Amino acid sequence: MIARPTFTLDDLLLRAAEEHGERTAIVDGKASHTYEDLLAASDSLATALVDAGVARGDRVGIYMQKSWESIVAMLAISQAGAAFVNVNPALKAAQVAYIAGDCDIRLLIADTDKLDALEPGSVPQAFHHGRAPKQPGSTDLAAIIAAPGRGERRPLIETDLGTVLYTSGSTGMPKGVAFSQRNLVVGAEIVSTYLENTADDRILSVLPFSFDYGLNQLTCAIRVGASLVVQRSQLPGDLLRGLRQNEITGLAGVPPVWSLLLRNAKSLEAEPLTALRYITNSGGRIPQVNLDALRRLLPGTRIFLMYGLTEAFRSTFLPPEEIDRGSDCIGKAIPNTEILVIKDGRAAEVGEVGELVHRGPTVALGYWGNQEATDRVYGPNPLAPPELLEVERVVRSGDLVRRDADGYLYFMGRNDEMIKSGGFRISPEEVENLLIASGVVHEAAALGVDDPDGVVGQVVLAVISLRDDAPEDALQVIRDHMVANAPPYMAPRDIVVVDELPKGASGKLDRPAIRRAHAA
Amino acid sequence: MAIEELQDVAETIRGWLREHVTGDRAVTDDEELISTGLLTSLQTVELVLFLDQRFGIDITDDEFVEENFNTVDAIARLVASKRG
């Protein structure tokens, strides 16, 4: 029999159910679900989505803690021919309402407590997970999944929209990156190939599905028929228990995850994690001291350092045997991908610093509904022959790198002011708008400074001037406002109050001067 | 440990949560913190450092799990048992 071709996420699910139907697909707490269960649950929910009026190409939001149900939701939305929008559960009501409006969410599938926190009318329709919500009119997700589906699948092609994932945006609100079905499927093919994933893998899923790298563990697992173990708590004791009890073979993390895991150093030393075949890091550089500790405490585990930006899904990885090149090395291009280093429109020389430009099948469709932002980041391949008429779109990453004589790439910094904290990319403008929205701040500048504890990479430093009518306890007002309206990673670690912020001739903030004065 | 002491510990934890996590909104003693994502892992690490210092205790790695940190009540009981 010829294997089923996989052009879409739904094809991946169908193939996994055909080839690995009896094997465990998802483990969530004490519950374990096979690929046949996943196919059936997806069918039930897809049927309910179609009956609720969700049309081909519609956007359906998922605002949930990661769970079996949140995974069923992504696959069901795809089966119904719609695009799923995983909303980071750490986002607050204002950002969620913005996202719902920005990509015109037709229906939101949400945990009840999250649905209750939204302003009434934020979304046109909802399915809830958990007890009945305060606002009537939504449908119980558990009942939907328990009811049989009709087996209807809306046909999609690989160039159709698959998902929209939101990252921090420079306009002060999150910015949606649109991915095709092909982006999702090849992202799984490429990564599972170099991680050598098989149906025998048991992958621990600790990262949010709203993050392209976190979503990738799920798509890789489905692609090969492996088991994905859902891990909500990243507390050190829970992480270790999750790894041991499930005999996890693969773990993907961001730098803070390793700091949390390494708190268990004594236990790791006494009883090594013998099942753990590989770990992968992305979303920022691991501090060298943590990388050394991981190598010492996980001697039998292969360590893959990866680099990617949401706009191109995944870009490079450093093979485990090259790890002595240091934690600034981001390796070489992932399979079926080329990384260009561009300096003044030409290919940079060996050792010369240039911008990392990504070409390959994981290049996303662009920013949802934002031509201007899309044109800034996506564009023609600068090195293609002109006869190709600029048909190929590449991603200009904004990351500065250099390539050594062996072809390995090294991260040298950013050519913009993006802050990178705990695996999240944070736009300074988004933090600044939040600060000003507190009502007591006149001007604000947010910048990333090195985390003194070395846990999250950078922390946010805010330099502000206060309004003339600001109250005595203005700083407390700001802190309370950030806690209520921003995800935790966006909250400034320190706030410096000045009389006036330095500005350039055009009246814009003079960010280099602010950085020299406060973050040198 | 006396009931009043347990309540003092709980009040200290609620104060920390108000300042770092929930803002104006008060957390109830049985409200779920970790399983709902309200308290992130990194915030919990900060809370543990605070509790270690404030109460002169040493929370070990195998105690550093969701069931000990999911509610104000659970955290207060853990702290109280350590001070014993």
Side-chain angles (χ1 to χ4, degrees), chain A residues 144-210:
Chain A
I144 289 171
I145 292 179
R150 289 192 299 269
E152 180 182 343
R153 322 194 91 80
R154 290 226 179 93
L156 288 178
I157 64 170
E158 66 175 21
T159 39
D160 277 323
L161 182 66
T163 183
V164 184
L165 300 179
Y166 278 79
T167 67
S168 180
S170 57
T171 54
M173 273 296 178
K175 193 161 64 173
V177 180
F179 294 90
S180 65
Q181 290 285 336
R182 175 170 167 76
N183 291 147
L184 291 171
V185 172
V186 296
E189 284 175 350
I190 287 172
V191 177
S192 61
T193 298
Y194 69 77
L195 294 178
E196 299 172 9
N197 286 124
T198 70
D200 293 327
D201 271 320
R202 286 172 305 281
I203 302 168
L204 195 67
S205 170
V206 302
L207 302 170
F209 294 131
S210 55

Side-chain angles (χ1 to χ4, degrees), chain A residues 65 92 113-114 232-238 241 256 260 263-265 455-456 476 479-480 483-484 488 493, chain B residues 18-24 34-37 40-46 48-49 61 64-67 69:
Chain A
Q65 288 295 320
K92 303 291 167 75
D113 62 320
K114 299 202 156 19
R232 277 176 291 271
S233 165
Q234 295 180 3
L235 299 188
D238 290 323
R241 192 159 56 180
L260 293 163
R263 291 182 67 98
N264 302 295
V455 174
V456 292
Q476 193 56 47
R479 293 241 175 247
D480 288 346
V483 156
R493 176 74 61 95
Chain B
R18 220 171 6 249
E19 188 164 341
H20 295 88
V21 182
T22 60
D24 299 336
I34 307 281
S35 54
T36 55
T40 69
S41 307
L42 292 174
Q43 287 172 326
T44 316
V45 171
E46 285 177 32
V48 165
L49 296 175
D61 300 327
F64 203 161
V65 292
E66 181 174 337
E67 59 255 40
F69 285 88

Side-chain angles (χ1 to χ4, degrees), chain A residues 44 265 303 360 448:
Chain A
S44 303
I303 301 177

Side-chain angles (χ1 to χ4, degrees), chain B residues 17-77:
Chain B
L17 289 171
R18 220 171 6 249
E19 188 164 341
H20 295 88
V21 182
T22 60
D24 299 336
R25 197 175 69 80
V27 175
T28 58
D29 285 358
D30 58 353
E31 184 172 345
E32 291 183 22
L33 303 172
I34 307 281
S35 54
T36 55
L38 186 65
L39 185 64
T40 69
S41 307
L42 292 174
Q43 287 172 326
T44 316
V45 171
E46 285 177 32
L47 174 61
V48 165
L49 296 175
F50 167 77
L51 294 173
D52 282 358
Q53 203 167 34
R54 175 75 171 68
F55 295 107
I57 55 174
D58 180 17
I59 293 168
T60 62
D61 300 327
D62 42 331
E63 292 162 340
F64 203 161
V65 292
E66 181 174 337
E67 59 255 40
N68 285 337
F69 285 88
N70 204 26
T71 61
V72 170
D73 224 21
I75 306 169
R77 273 186 276 115

Side-chain angles (χ1 to χ4, degrees), chain A residues 84-99:
Chain A
F84 59 86
V85 181
N86 289 332
V87 179
N88 183 344
L91 294 188
K92 303 291 167 75
Q95 287 124 0
V96 180
Y98 173 83
I99 289 171

